[in-house]
Amino acid sequence: MTPRQSLLEAKQAATAQRRRLAQRAEATRMRISPTRLKADAADSAREQVAAIKNDSLAHIRAHPILVALGAVSLLAWIARKPLLKRAPTAMSRLYAWVSGNLGFSEWLANPAEDEANDGEISPPEMEQKEPPHG
């Protein structure tokens, strides 16, 4: 191999190396372009949302009672103000029924009449018994 051929081969190798370097630089520029980064982020977000959705559905199917209790608890928390407003009346009606001072049908009746009495339920009149003589 003559020095001239060796110089030509080195020149061709350097040109090929520059071409590969330029191709790699262009590929890198394409990978870090804002459009490509946005698309990659959107794809990643879609994949994560799909994974969370699938995991949630699997959890719901595996534990339906716990999920139902959680939903009821959330609804009770959302409606807590109206529920707490009615709670004293409802509890006093329940206590009156349990203690035998209120019939079942009266317990189920609309408590609107009781609200006029500030939620208090008056027990039935007690019979006055005469003390035993003796």
Side-chain angles (χ1 to χ4, degrees):
M1 191 180 238
T2 65
R4 191 175 203 109
Q5 288 175 338
S6 153
L7 184 62
L8 271 174
E9 285 177 11
K11 197 174 187 180
Q12 288 173 348
T15 304
Q17 185 67 23
R18 270 190 230 110
R19 206 175 299 127
R20 284 192 299 268
L21 182 62
Q23 288 172 348
R24 289 180 183 159
E26 182 62 27
T28 302
R29 202 173 312 126
M30 293 296 286
R31 268 187 271 143
I32 62 171
S33 71
T35 306
R36 174 76 183 262
L37 291 175
K38 285 183 206 175
D40 288 347
D43 289 342
S44 176
R46 274 190 223 103
E47 289 173 6
Q48 288 179 356
V49 166
I52 289 171
K53 176 185 159 191
N54 292 337
D55 290 346
S56 298
L57 288 175
H59 182 72
I60 289 170
R61 287 186 183 119
H63 308 287
I65 294 174
L66 290 177
V67 173
L69 287 174
V72 168
S73 299
L74 177 65
L75 290 174
W77 185 78
I78 290 171
R80 70 188 180 277
K81 288 185 181 180
L83 289 174
L84 289 174
K85 180 181 171 187
R86 303 285 296 206
T89 304
M91 289 309 293
S92 63
R93 291 177 68 79
L94 179 63
Y95 179 74
W97 174 68
V98 168
S99 64
N101 295 332
L102 190 64
F104 185 72
S105 59
E106 294 170 316
W107 178 61
L108 292 177
N110 187 5
E113 309 91 46
D114 295 335
E115 289 180 8
N117 298 336
D118 294 330
E120 294 189 24
I121 299 172
S122 57
E125 295 298 323
M126 299 293 284
E127 294 178 21
Q128 292 292 334
K129 293 183 180 179
E130 293 181 23
H133 297 292

